C-alpha cells in the first residue's frame, strides 16, 4: 500500500527540525553562554553511564546521521509511491542562474545564499571565539609568551577551529550510494563542486592556522623544539604538522592542471585522506573529532557498500565500435534494478587497470530495458583509448565471445527523481560527448509509448559537434529518431557541425559509405553473472542508525573499561592518545558490524545472480545502425561550418512555444552553459518584470556527464 502523505510530511518536518537544531548548535557553540552550559552538561553526563564522551557523540554526531536516516526513508517512500513528477515550486527563481562568471562559474541564487550564510557563520565563529579569548587572557607561562604573542597564538588556534567546521561538511557532497544531497535533488556529479569549494576553504584556513602558530614559535626560536613534541596531554603538534602537509599534498594534486594531465596521481594522492583524518584525530583530540565523526562515518559506510558491490565481476554482453572512436558497452543487470535518467556508473576493467575506476553516463532507460543497460565511452584519455583498442582488436579478429572481458561496476548513482518530467516541453543543448546523459532522457521519454498525458510532449535537441563522424554518437537512439511519431512524440533535432562544410547530400553519402558498426556479442547460450545490485534506501537508513548506536555503545563500554570516568581527576593519569585510540576502536567496531550485516543481507539475495541470455537480445545486439541513422538525420536540420548562436535560437524557440513550462537542460563546455544560462536569466528577469510577451517559463538545469 502506498504510504500516506502524512508520513512523508512528518518525515520532512522531522528532517527540518533536526537539521535546524544542529545548525543552531553550531551557531551557539562559540558563545560564552554555550560554553558555560556545556561544562555543566558534561559534569552531569559524567555522573551517568553515558559520560561526557557519549554526550558529545549524541549532540554532534546524532543529528547528521538522523537526518540521513530520515532522508533515506523519505526517498524510499517517495520512489515506492511513484512521486516522480513534482510540482515546480516558488524556489525555481532561487535556483535559476544569478552569477555567470568564469572565475566562479554559474551560480544560482540559492547557492549564493548558502555560500554567504556559511561565510557569515565562519566570521561569527571566529569573532566570538577570539573576542572571548581576549577578554580573559592570562599569561602563558609554559611558552613564556608576551601579550602580543599570546594573542597571535589564540588567533591561530581559532582559525584552526574554522577548518574543523569545513571538515564536518567536506565528505558529505562526495557520498555516492549514501548521498545525502539526493534528498534535495542534487546529483553526485553536481555536488562534487561543493566538496571542492569546502576543501579549498579548509586548506586555506589550515595553512593560516599552521603559519600563525609556527610564526610565534619562530619568533621565540623554539620552532624545532615545539613542532617535534608529542605531548602526553593536549594537542600533539607533530601530528598536526603531518596532517597539514598531507592536506596540502591532496590539494595540490587536485588542482585542474594536475588532475587533467595526471589523473592517476590525483586518484592515488586522494587516498591520503585516511592519513589526514587519522593525524587530525591525534592532533585535535577526541573532543574535536566528535564534531566531524558523522561525515567520516557516512563516508566509511558509503565506501564499504561500494566495495561490496564491486567485488563480484560481470562480463560484457556486447560491445559496438562507433566511427567517432567511441565504444558502446552493454552489461547485464537484474530486472528489479531501476535507475533514473542521467544516472552514471563507475567501471573498472582489470585487463586495463586493476585500480582505476572511471564514471560513465548510462544511455539506456530501465523502463525499456529490464535485463541490461548501456554506456557510451568516448576515447579521450589513456584508459579509454586502451579500451577502444582492446574491443576494436577483438572485433577485427572476429572474436564473438566477450567472456574474457570482465568488468567491475559500482552504481548506478543518480537523482531519486529527475525534473524533466515536470515540464510541458524540453530543450536539450549538448556539445560533443555531452550528448550521453540526454540519450537516457530520450529513451525514458520514449518509454511513454505515445501516452501524451505524461510530460514532456515536445522535445527540442540542439547538438553541436566538431566533425561529421561525431554524429555517430546518436547511433544508440537512431530507432527512436526514425519512429518518433509513436514513441517520442514531437522531437526536433538541430545539428551543428562546426569544423566541416557540407550538405545533406554529403551526409547521406557519408553514411552510405560508412562501414557497418563493429559488434561483438556474447555466445547465445552463455550464462553470465549479472551486475550486483546496490543496497536499497531502507537498508542504508538501517545501517546508518546501526552504525551510530554501535559506535556510541562501543565508546561507552570501552571508556568504562579502560578509563574510570567517575573520577574526573583520574583523566590526567591517561595520555590523550588513549581517548583517541578508544574513538578509533569504536569506529572500527561500528563499521565492521555494518559490514557483517551487509554481507549477510547480500548472501540471502545471491540466489539469482546468474541468468541465461535470451536469444532475442543477443540477436538484437547484432543490429547495425548506420543506415538507420542516415535515414533519421535526413528529417532534421543540419548546419555546417558555424557555431550556433544559442541565445538567438532560444529566443526564436520562446516565440514558437505556447504558454507552458519549459525545462532547458545543457551539458557541454562552459561557453555553451554560459550562453544558455545568460538567456534563462534574462528571460526570468523579463518575466518577473511583468513583460506580458513572456508566455513561457524557462528553467535552467546544468547536467554533468561522465565519460
Amino acid at each position: 500500500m502506498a504510504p500516506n502523505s502524512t508520513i512523508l510530511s512528518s518525515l520532512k518536518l522531522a528532517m527540518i527540525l533536526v537539521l535546524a537544531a544542529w545548525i543552531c548548535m553550531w551557531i551557539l557553540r562559540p558563545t560564552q553562554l554555550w560554553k558555560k552550559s556545556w561544562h555543566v552538561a558534561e559534569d552531569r553526563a559524567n555522573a551517568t553511564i553515558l559520560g561526557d564522551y557519549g554526550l558529545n557523540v549524541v549532540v554532534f554526531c546524532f543529528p547528521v546521521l538522523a537526518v540521513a536516516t530520515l532522508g533515506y526513508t523519505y526517498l524510499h517512500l517517495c520512489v515506492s509511491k511513484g512521486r516522480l513528477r513534482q510540482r515546480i515550486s516558488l524556489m525555481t527563481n532561487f535556483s535559476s542562474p544569478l552569477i555567470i562568471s568564469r572565475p566562479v562559474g554559474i551560480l544560482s541564487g540559492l547557492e549564493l545564499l548558502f555560500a554567504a550564510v556559511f561565510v557569515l557563520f565562519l566570521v561569527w565563529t571566529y569573532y566570538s571565539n577570539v573576542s572571548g579569548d581576549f577578554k580573559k587572557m592570562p599569561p602563558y607561562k609554559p611558552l613564556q609568551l608576551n601579550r602580543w604573542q599570546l594573542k597571535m597564538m589564540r588567533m591561530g588556534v581559532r582559525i584552526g577551529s574554522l577548518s574543523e567546521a569545513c571538515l564536518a561538511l567536506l565528505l558529505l557532497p562526495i557520498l555516492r550510494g549514501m548521498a545525502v544531497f539526493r534528498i534535495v535533488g542534487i546529483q553526485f556529479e553536481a555536488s562534487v563542486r561543493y566538496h571542492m569549494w569546502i576543501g579549498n576553504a579548509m586548506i586555506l584556513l589550515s595553512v593560516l592556522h599552521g603559519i600563525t602558530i609556527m610564526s610565534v614559535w619562530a619568533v621565540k626560536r623554539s620552532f624545532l623544539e615545539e613542532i617535534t613534541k608529542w605531548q602526553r596531554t593536549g594537542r600533539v603538534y607533530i601530528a598536526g604538522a603531518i596532517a597539514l602537509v598531507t592536506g596540502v599534498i591532496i590539494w595540490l594534486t587536485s588542482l585542474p592542471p594536475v588532475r587533467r594531465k595526471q589523473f592517476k596521481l590525483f586518484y592515488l594522492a586522494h587516498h591520503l585522506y585516511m592519513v589526514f583524518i587519522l593525524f587530525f584525530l591525534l592532533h585535535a583530540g577526541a573532543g574535536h573529532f566528535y564534531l566531524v565523526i558523522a561525515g567520516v562515518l557516512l563516508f566509511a559506510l558509503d565506501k564499504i557498500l561500494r566495495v561490496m558491490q564491486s567485488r563480484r565481476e560481470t562480463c560484457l554482453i556486447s560491445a559496438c565500435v562507433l566511427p567517432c572512436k567511441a565504444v558502446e558497452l552493454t552489461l547485464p543487470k537484474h530486472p528489479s534494478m531501476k535507475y533514473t535518467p542521467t544516472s552514471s556508473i563507475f567501471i573498472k576493467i582489470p585487463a586495463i587497470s586493476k585500480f582505476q575506476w572511471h564514471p560513465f553516463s548510462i544511455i539506456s532507460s530501465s523502463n525499456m530495458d529490464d535485463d541490461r543497460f548501456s554506456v557510451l565511452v568516448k576515447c579521450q584519455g589513456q584508459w579509454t583509448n586502451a579500451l577502444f583498442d582492446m574491443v576494436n582488436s577483438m572485433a577485427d579478429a572476429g572474436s564473438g565471445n566477450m567472456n574474457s572481458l570482465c568488468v567491475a561496476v559500482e552504481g548506478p548513482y543518480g537523482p531519486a527523481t529527475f525534473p524533466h518530467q515536470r515540464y510541458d516541453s524540453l530543450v536539450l543543448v549538448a556539445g560533443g560527448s555531452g550528448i550521453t546523459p540526454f540519450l537516457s532522457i530520450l529513451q525514458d521519454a520514449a518509454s511513454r509509448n505515445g501516452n501524451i498525458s505524461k510530460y514532456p510532449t515536445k522535445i527540442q535537441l540542439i547538438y553541436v559537434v566538431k566533425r561529421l563522424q561525431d554524429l555517430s554518437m546518436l547511433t544508440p537512439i537512431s530507432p527512436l529518431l526514425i519512429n518518433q511519431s509513436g514513441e517520442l512524440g514531437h522531437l526536433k533535432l538541430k545539428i551543428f557541425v562546426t569544423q566541416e562544410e557540407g550538405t545533406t547530400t554529403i551526409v547521406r553519402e557519408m553514411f552510405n559509405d560508412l562501414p557497418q558498426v563493429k559488434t561483438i556479442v556474447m555466445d547465445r547460450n552463455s550464462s553470465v553473472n549479472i551486475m550486483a545490485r546496490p543496497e536499497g534506501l531502507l537498508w542504508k537508513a538501517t545501517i546508518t542508525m546501526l552504525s551510530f548506536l554501535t559506535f556510541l555503545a562501543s565508546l561507552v563500554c570501552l571508556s568504562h573499561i579502560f578509563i574510570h570516568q567517575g573520577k574526573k581527576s583520574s583523566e590526567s593519569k591517561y595520555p590523550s592518545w588513549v581517548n583517541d585510540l578508544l574513538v578509533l576502536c569504536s569506529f572500527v567496531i561500528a563499521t565492521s558490524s555494518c559490514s557483517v550485516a551487509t554481507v549477510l543481507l547480500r548472501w540471502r539475495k545471491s540466489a539469482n545472480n546468474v541468468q541465461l541470455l535470451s536469444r532475442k537480445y543477443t540477436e538484437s545486439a547484432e543490429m547495425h545502425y548506420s543506415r538507420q541513422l542516415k535515414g533519421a538525420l535526413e528529417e532534421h536540420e543540419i548546419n555546417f561550418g558555424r557555431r550556433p548562436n544559442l541565445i538567438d535560437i532560444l529566443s526564436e524557440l520562446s516565440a514558437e512555444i505556447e504558454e507552458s513550462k519549459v525545462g532547458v537542460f545543457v551539458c557541454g563546455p562552459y561557453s555553451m552553459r554560459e550562453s544558455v544560462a545568460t538567456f534563462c536569466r534574462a528571460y526570468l528577469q523579463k518575466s518577473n518584470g511583468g513583460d506580458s510577451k513572456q508566455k513561457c517559463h524557462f528553467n535552467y538545469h546544468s547536467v554533468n556527464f561522465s565519460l
Side-chain angles (χ1 to χ4, degrees), residues 683-699:
Y683 199 92
L684 180 62
Q685 291 173 349
K686 290 182 180 180
S687 299
N688 293 337
D691 191 342
S692 59
K693 295 181 180 180
Q694 310 301 320
K695 300 179 180 180
C696 306
H697 300 279
F698 283 86
N699 299 293

Side-chain angles (χ1 to χ4, degrees), residues 18 22 52 81 147 213 260 287 363 413 435 467 541 660 680:
V18 174
W22 184 70
D52 59 351
K81 193 174 182 179
R147 190 173 183 83
I213 293 179
R260 292 168 185 166
I363 63 173
Y413 306 118
I435 191 65
R467 294 173 296 275
S660 61
C680 292

Side-chain angles (χ1 to χ4, degrees), residues 402-414:
M402 298 295 295
N403 285 324
S404 59
L405 195 56
C406 295
V407 180
V409 181
E410 285 183 13
Y413 306 118

Side-chain angles (χ1 to χ4, degrees), residues 235-535:
R235 291 179 173 86
V236 180
Y237 296 141
I238 183 63
I242 295 174
L244 178 60
V245 171
T246 305
V248 171
I249 292 174
I250 295 174
W251 178 76
L252 289 174
T253 55
S254 65
L255 294 174
V258 179
R259 186 178 69 248
R260 292 168 185 166
K261 296 180 181 180
Q262 298 291 334
F263 179 81
K264 188 175 182 179
L265 176 63
F266 157 78
Y267 178 79
L268 293 175
H270 250 61
H271 282 76
L272 292 174
Y273 71 85
M274 293 179 284
V275 178
F276 175 82
I277 292 175
L278 175 61
F279 281 94
F280 169 80
L281 168 62
L282 295 174
H283 170 63
H288 290 267
F289 193 70
Y290 295 134
L291 300 174
V292 304
I293 186 63
V296 177
L297 196 55
L298 283 173
F299 183 79
L301 295 178
D302 183 70
K303 192 74 173 179
I304 290 170
L305 295 183
R306 286 158 46 195
V307 169
M308 288 187 177
Q309 183 193 7
S310 61
R311 284 184 61 194
R312 187 175 69 247
E313 296 178 351
T314 184
C315 295
L316 294 175
I317 294 177
S318 68
C320 299
V321 180
L322 304 182
C324 62
K325 203 175 181 183
V327 181
E328 180 185 357
L329 305 178
T330 303
L331 297 95
K333 75 174 186 67
H334 197 279
S336 64
M337 191 184 80
K338 302 295 181 182
Y339 51 86
T340 52
T342 73
S343 293
S344 61
I345 62 169
F346 282 73
I347 289 180
K348 179 184 72 174
I349 300 181
I352 300 176
S353 174
K354 294 183 179 180
F355 302 103
Q356 291 190 38
W357 290 87
H358 293 265
F360 299 99
S361 297
I362 299 177
I363 63 173
S364 54
S365 170
S366 58
N367 294 329
M368 299 183 68
D369 302 318
D370 290 333
D371 59 349
R372 63 192 185 276
F373 68 96
S374 302
V375 296
L376 195 56
V377 181
K378 186 74 164 63
C379 297
Q380 295 178 338
Q382 183 178 359
W383 190 92
T384 51
N385 276 295
L387 173 63
F388 178 85
D389 293 339
M390 180 181 297
V391 175
N392 196 37
S393 62
M394 294 175 67
D396 292 338
S399 174
N401 189 355
M402 298 295 295
N403 285 324
S404 59
L405 195 56
C406 295
V407 180
V409 181
E410 285 183 13
Y413 306 118
T417 61
F418 192 73
H420 78 278
Q421 294 186 340
R422 304 175 185 175
Y423 300 107
D424 305 314
S425 301
L426 289 183
V427 179
L428 311 178
V429 185
S433 303
I435 191 65
T436 50
F438 294 154
L439 298 181
S440 62
I441 295 178
L442 295 175
Q443 296 272 21
D444 185 72
S447 66
R448 293 182 293 109
N449 293 324
N451 187 350
I452 61 175
S453 64
K454 297 181 180 179
Y455 293 93
T457 57
K458 296 181 180 179
I459 301 176
Q460 172 80 64
L461 175 60
I462 303 171
Y463 187 31
V464 185
V465 296
K466 293 181 179 180
R467 294 173 296 275
L468 202 56
Q469 274 194 338
D470 294 335
L471 295 180
S472 59
M473 294 283 286
L474 297 173
T475 295
I477 61 166
S478 57
L480 304 181
L481 295 176
I482 296 172
N483 191 29
Q484 58 172 295
S485 60
E487 294 179 325
L488 275 180
H490 190 192
L491 170 65
K492 288 185 178 180
L493 179 60
K494 288 180 180 289
I495 295 176
F496 291 84
V497 183
T498 60
Q499 296 184 2
E500 291 182 1
E501 298 287 345
T503 62
T504 306
T505 304
I506 295 178
V507 176
R508 185 185 305 112
E509 292 175 353
M510 187 201 75
F511 280 101
N512 279 330
D513 295 337
L514 276 178
Q516 289 184 329
V517 175
K518 299 177 182 178
T519 305
I520 309 174
V521 186
M522 178 177 284
D523 292 341
R524 288 183 173 86
N525 296 321
S526 298
S527 60
V528 59
N529 285 326
I530 63 174
M531 168 186 159
R533 287 175 287 172
E535 308 304 330

Side-chain angles (χ1 to χ4, degrees), residues 436-683:
T436 50
F438 294 154
L439 298 181
S440 62
I441 295 178
L442 295 175
Q443 296 272 21
D444 185 72
S447 66
R448 293 182 293 109
N449 293 324
N451 187 350
I452 61 175
S453 64
K454 297 181 180 179
Y455 293 93
T457 57
K458 296 181 180 179
I459 301 176
Q460 172 80 64
L461 175 60
I462 303 171
Y463 187 31
V464 185
V465 296
K466 293 181 179 180
R467 294 173 296 275
L468 202 56
Q469 274 194 338
D470 294 335
L471 295 180
S472 59
M473 294 283 286
L474 297 173
T475 295
I477 61 166
S478 57
L480 304 181
L481 295 176
I482 296 172
N483 191 29
Q484 58 172 295
S485 60
E487 294 179 325
L488 275 180
H490 190 192
L491 170 65
K492 288 185 178 180
L493 179 60
K494 288 180 180 289
I495 295 176
F496 291 84
V497 183
T498 60
Q499 296 184 2
E500 291 182 1
E501 298 287 345
T503 62
T504 306
T505 304
I506 295 178
V507 176
R508 185 185 305 112
E509 292 175 353
M510 187 201 75
F511 280 101
N512 279 330
D513 295 337
L514 276 178
Q516 289 184 329
V517 175
K518 299 177 182 178
T519 305
I520 309 174
V521 186
M522 178 177 284
D523 292 341
R524 288 183 173 86
N525 296 321
S526 298
S527 60
V528 59
N529 285 326
I530 63 174
M531 168 186 159
R533 287 175 287 172
E535 308 304 330
L537 289 167
L538 278 183
W539 181 251
K540 293 173 184 176
T542 301
I543 62 171
T544 299
M545 193 48 58
L546 174 64
S547 66
F548 166 75
L549 295 175
T550 308
F551 177 78
L552 178 61
S554 301
L555 184 61
V556 170
C557 293
L558 291 176
S559 297
H560 277 276
I561 292 173
F562 294 100
I563 298 178
H564 302 291
Q565 192 66 22
K567 296 181 180 180
K568 194 71 177 179
S569 60
S570 66
E571 292 184 6
S572 59
K573 298 179 181 179
Y574 300 93
S576 298
W577 61 263
V578 173
N579 289 316
D580 301 339
L581 183 61
L582 295 182
V583 172
L584 189 61
C585 291
S586 301
F587 178 82
V588 172
I589 293 173
T591 52
S592 299
S593 63
C594 293
S595 301
V596 172
T598 304
V599 168
L600 294 176
L601 178 69
R602 283 191 170 274
W603 177 72
R604 291 183 59 186
K605 293 182 177 180
S606 61
N608 298 320
N609 286 334
V610 178
Q611 65 179 17
L612 188 65
L613 298 181
S614 65
R615 182 180 183 87
K616 177 182 178 181
Y617 170 65
T618 54
E619 289 178 348
S620 65
E622 295 175 346
M623 293 177 60
H624 303 294
Y625 296 110
S626 59
R627 294 183 181 274
Q628 295 183 21
L629 185 58
K630 175 201 71 174
L633 293 180
E634 289 178 356
E635 302 177 4
H636 299 279
E637 177 183 337
I638 304 179
N639 302 274
F640 294 90
R642 68 183 181 93
R643 296 179 180 273
N645 189 324
L646 294 174
I647 295 180
D648 290 345
I649 293 175
L650 293 173
S651 299
E652 295 174 0
L653 188 62
S654 65
E656 297 175 3
I657 298 178
E658 299 177 356
E659 184 173 355
S660 61
K661 297 183 288 291
V662 181
V664 183
F665 296 82
V666 58
C667 185
Y670 178 80
S671 58
M672 175 178 288
R673 292 183 282 117
E674 183 181 33
S675 298
V676 176
T678 301
F679 168 80
C680 292
R681 182 180 63 180
Y683 199 92

